[in-house]
Amino acid sequence: MQNQQRRKQKGFTLIELMIVVAIIGVLSAVAIPAYKDYVKKSEVASAVATMKSLITPAELYYQENGDITTSTNLADLGISSGSTTLGTLSPKAGQIELALTNISGAKITITRDANSGWICDATGDADSLVSGCK
């Protein structure tokens, strides 16, 4: 009988396991939304960088051919339609637009203004996530 009392406990009790599972649940409830927001911000920042890199070829096209229209071919700007995996690039009247795929309603546009040059603008969910486009 003394041997049974001296035997050390092996393993964890049910209460200890339940506490660990509860702690992991609380930590993941906080971390997952923060991670998703971080991913959105990085996608928007990458989209803004992509759009800013299009300003030089768009300005060259503008100087040689006049205004950008909806019928302007992206290849004429030196841009392939699959150049970004973030969304869909499309020329509009006087601007180039990137509609983001993973963020609903988010669009980033660069527009040529006669007085100010090229202006970057974000709309939809991208507006609240980006600071470098204004």
Side-chain angles (χ1 to χ4, degrees), residues 70-83:
T70 54
S71 62
T72 302
N73 190 353
L74 289 174
D76 294 339
L77 298 172
I79 306 163
S80 66
S81 59
S83 62

Side-chain angles (χ1 to χ4, degrees), residues 16-76:
E16 291 170 335
L17 290 174
M18 288 174 54
I19 290 172
V20 169
V21 168
I23 290 171
I24 291 172
V26 168
L27 290 175
S28 65
V30 171
I32 290 174
Y35 174 74
K36 287 182 179 180
D37 192 39
Y38 174 76
V39 169
K40 281 184 180 181
K41 284 181 182 179
S42 66
E43 286 179 351
V44 170
S46 179
V48 169
T50 299
M51 293 304 284
K52 286 187 174 185
S53 70
L54 297 179
I55 290 175
T56 302
E59 181 64 22
L60 290 172
Y61 179 86
Y62 183 82
Q63 296 296 327
E64 292 175 5
N65 302 311
D67 205 7
I68 294 173
T69 63
T70 54
S71 62
T72 302
N73 190 353
L74 289 174
D76 294 339

